[in-house]
Amino acid sequence: MLSQINGLSRHFTEDTLRAYLLSRSERTESGCLIVRGYGDQRGVHQKLAGRAWAHIAAYVVFAGGYDPAREIHHDCAVPDCIEPTHLRQLSHADNCRERSQRPRCRNGHDREVEPATGRLRRSCRICNRQAQQRWRERQAAEVAEARASYGRIPT
């Protein structure tokens, strides 16, 4: 069964892969089992165990009955969740139909409706505003540090 997973290291058995996935994951309040793979991006499918997708490997070892011709769908809409009860196999067309826009951003802010389209905005304005403020503060600190190193005192 593990041989059907693209990119999975051949050194894994079902038991070692199960232990590996559980050691790299943590439970959230919503019941999701979030895995941390390569990189530090949140909200993207995580790769683990060689170059295999973590949610596919989790489906194989926890649920079983994997068909490589079908896609793994997250019922919780959290891409890096490996909780077996949140995963199921669908055809590509059904997976596309099941996708929906989440009413909240990943930081918990309510998403606004775009007036032109009537759909939810892709980016959260609150998160964007906070990120811009953090950037401005970092830039101001760098400028102040540079001025102090040149002997100029800020006015």
Side-chain angles (χ1 to χ4, degrees):
M1 184 61 77
L2 294 181
S3 62
Q4 295 178 335
I5 304 173
N6 288 336
L8 184 66
S9 173
R10 61 186 170 92
H11 301 290
F12 280 105
T13 64
E14 284 197 29
D15 293 331
T16 58
L17 182 58
R18 186 178 296 115
Y20 182 75
L21 287 170
L22 290 175
S23 70
R24 302 215 31 145
S25 59
E26 58 191 39
R27 178 89 47 197
T28 62
E29 302 85 36
S30 63
C32 290
L33 192 60
I34 304 296
V35 68
R36 294 291 173 233
Y38 304 130
D40 57 358
Q41 286 185 317
R42 256 181 77 200
V44 297
H45 298 290
Q46 296 291 324
K47 287 193 171 186
L48 284 173
R51 295 180 319 198
W53 295 111
H55 65 287
I56 295 174
Y59 186 84
V60 170
V61 296
F62 293 123
Y66 175 66
D67 178 13
R70 300 179 66 149
E71 297 179 0
I72 305 296
H73 174 75
H74 294 84
D75 288 330
C76 58
V78 178
D80 43 357
C81 175
I82 62 167
E83 173 63 36
T85 59
H86 296 180
L87 303 174
R88 61 187 165 114
Q89 279 195 311
L90 297 175
S91 67
H92 179 71
D94 289 336
N95 194 20
C96 290
R97 276 198 262 338
E98 289 280 334
R99 284 189 210 133
S100 63
Q101 289 187 309
R102 291 180 240 160
R104 294 181 177 271
C105 75
R106 68 182 189 184
N107 294 319
H109 304 122
D110 289 329
R111 292 181 53 200
E112 301 172 4
V113 174
E114 181 70 46
T117 61
R119 294 181 53 100
L120 295 174
R121 288 183 178 271
R122 287 181 57 110
S123 59
C124 175
R125 285 186 172 186
I126 298 171
C127 293
N128 191 13
R129 186 180 322 118
Q130 291 171 350
Q132 288 177 0
Q133 182 63 35
R134 288 190 303 268
W135 181 83
R136 282 190 210 102
E137 290 169 359
R138 280 195 312 270
Q139 290 298 104
E142 287 178 16
V143 167
E145 182 181 324
R147 285 183 177 164
S149 69
Y150 287 123
R152 294 177 58 187
I153 300 172
T155 58

